[in-house]
Amino acid sequence: MESSPSVNRNDETFTLTNSVEEVRTGRFMNRGSEKEAAVAVVLPTYCEAENIESLIRRIQGLGLDLIIVVIDDSSPDGTAKIVKKLQKEEFDNIILFVRPTKLGLGTAITTGFQLILSLKNQPDYIITMDADYSHNPRDIPKLLGMAKRGYDLVIGSRYCPGGKISGWHRVRWLISRVANLIASMSIGMRIHDCTSGLRCYSKRYVKSVLNDLHSQTYEIQIETVRQAQLQGFRVKEIPITFVNRERGKSKLTRTEIEGFLSYIIRTGLGMTSFVSGLGSKSHVEKDC
Ligand SMILES: Nc1nc2c(ncn2[C@@H]2O[C@H](COP(=O)(O)OP(=O)(O)O)[C@@H](O)[C@H]2O)c(=O)[nH]1
Ligand SMILES: [Mg+2]
């Protein structure tokens, strides 16, 4: 287990005393050996040892010009060790950022964004996806295709026409549907799936909203949609099939569900003008 935050790239590990701040302020940025790529794929990981290697291989197999950024919270199952081995032996396009402890999905994603924006060669598009195979790497080119048509946030959607979920218990489906309904009403946007983790963001969106993202955990997915709405970015959903994880366990705990609900409620209360449709700046395509 790592004792302090560290970035590992191309078999070099840099211990960061001040976490992302140090990444942002240059040491990481000026290494020079950085690989240029059009796309970054951010994989937040906590105990994904059973999934991470084959997922990375599948992403690499897409043949796209990409880098993979793994944000691991010192997973006790050795996820980071597997990633380091892949870096060392096979792939020079993987960046691994190890945080000292489990700090939540929300901050893992914003750490990924900060890290990517600190690179000398910043990719134009940033994909985020779960590292448990719920999201199919083959959807990445579809998301990118839509982003290139001028959308700053493309959501891989389970609930727009054509979207599907496989392997979820009815109760989990119901909780997710209700959460999405409340979230989209609170934000004031007609989005079927505000909580999906499979996304493509444009660099200009990430640059613009990063300082406004404060989520610790799963509410990051809603906060990013809300920021798109507030700052007038174009949002689009495309249908995906979400498959419940077959290996490893969900990290969605009761505390995280509470944090998520509390965010939805706070957002809803503070955004009544959006519920009534006033002040809406962002543009969402109606079809899927
Ligand atoms: N770095 C990091 N990753 C996390 C954390 N919590 C969840 N993840 C990752 O976020 C993704 C989604 O989490 P998951 O447990 O699959 O949630 P679920 O699909 O909603 O049940 C997976 O890749 C997890 O490994 C966290 O605290 N830190
Ligand atoms: Mg999952």
Side-chain angles (χ1 to χ4, degrees), residues 48 130 132 134 172 242 244-245 250:
E48 300 294 358
D130 294 355
D132 61 353
S134 286
R172 173 111 203 225
F242 175 98
N244 195 24
R245 64 159 74 235
S250 169

Side-chain angles (χ1 to χ4, degrees), residues 42 105-114 126-129 151-156 180 183-184 187 189 191 193-202 204-236 260 263-264 267 271 282-284:
V42 177
L105 175 63
T107 62
I109 287 175
T110 45
T111 296
F113 288 165
Q114 284 169 339
I126 300 165
I127 303 275
T128 59
M129 68 190 290
Y151 294 95
D152 295 287
L153 168 52
V154 183
I155 303 174
N180 265 292
S184 76
I187 297 169
M189 270 175 115
I191 301 271
D193 195 348
C194 295
T195 58
S196 169
L198 180 59
R199 308 274 182 94
C200 179
Y201 300 95
S202 68
R204 78 182 188 120
Y205 165 92
V206 172
K207 274 190 169 162
S208 174
V209 308
L210 188 55
N211 289 336
D212 298 309
L213 300 176
H214 306 291
S215 296
Q216 299 293 307
T217 66
Y218 287 73
E219 69 276 16
I220 186 74
Q221 311 299 5
I222 300 176
E223 191 177 38
T224 41
V225 177
R226 180 167 173 249
Q227 285 302 328
Q229 153 80 321
L230 289 172
Q231 300 194 28
F233 285 100
R234 294 180 83 205
V235 181
K236 175 82 175 167
F260 193 69
Y263 179 80
I264 295 174
T267 313
M271 303 259 307
S282 190
H283 173 73
V284 196

